[in-house]
Amino acid sequence: MLVEGLTCASCISRAERALKAVPGVVDASVNLATERAPSATWRARRPSAL
């Protein structure tokens, strides 16, 4: 996932917190140099939620 506009470590922290706030995302990391979020761990949906 491309994450544009990152200029400092604080931006990375805010972007990671925002990604983790998305329903279903358990963990996420953002790379400042590439401006990408190559790693996000999603929680599987419960069959009853489908």
Side-chain angles (χ1 to χ4, degrees):
M1 170 186 305
L2 182 62
V3 184
E4 297 178 314
L6 304 176
T7 59
C8 64
S10 179
C11 295
I12 295 295
S13 179
R14 291 177 64 196
E16 289 175 345
R17 276 196 312 271
L19 286 170
K20 291 174 186 177
V22 174
V25 175
V26 178
D27 193 25
S29 66
V30 177
N31 185 306
L32 177 62
T34 62
E35 293 189 333
R36 294 197 177 272
S39 173
T41 305
W42 296 83
R43 183 180 313 130
R45 288 186 180 210
R46 294 171 299 162
S48 62
L50 298 176

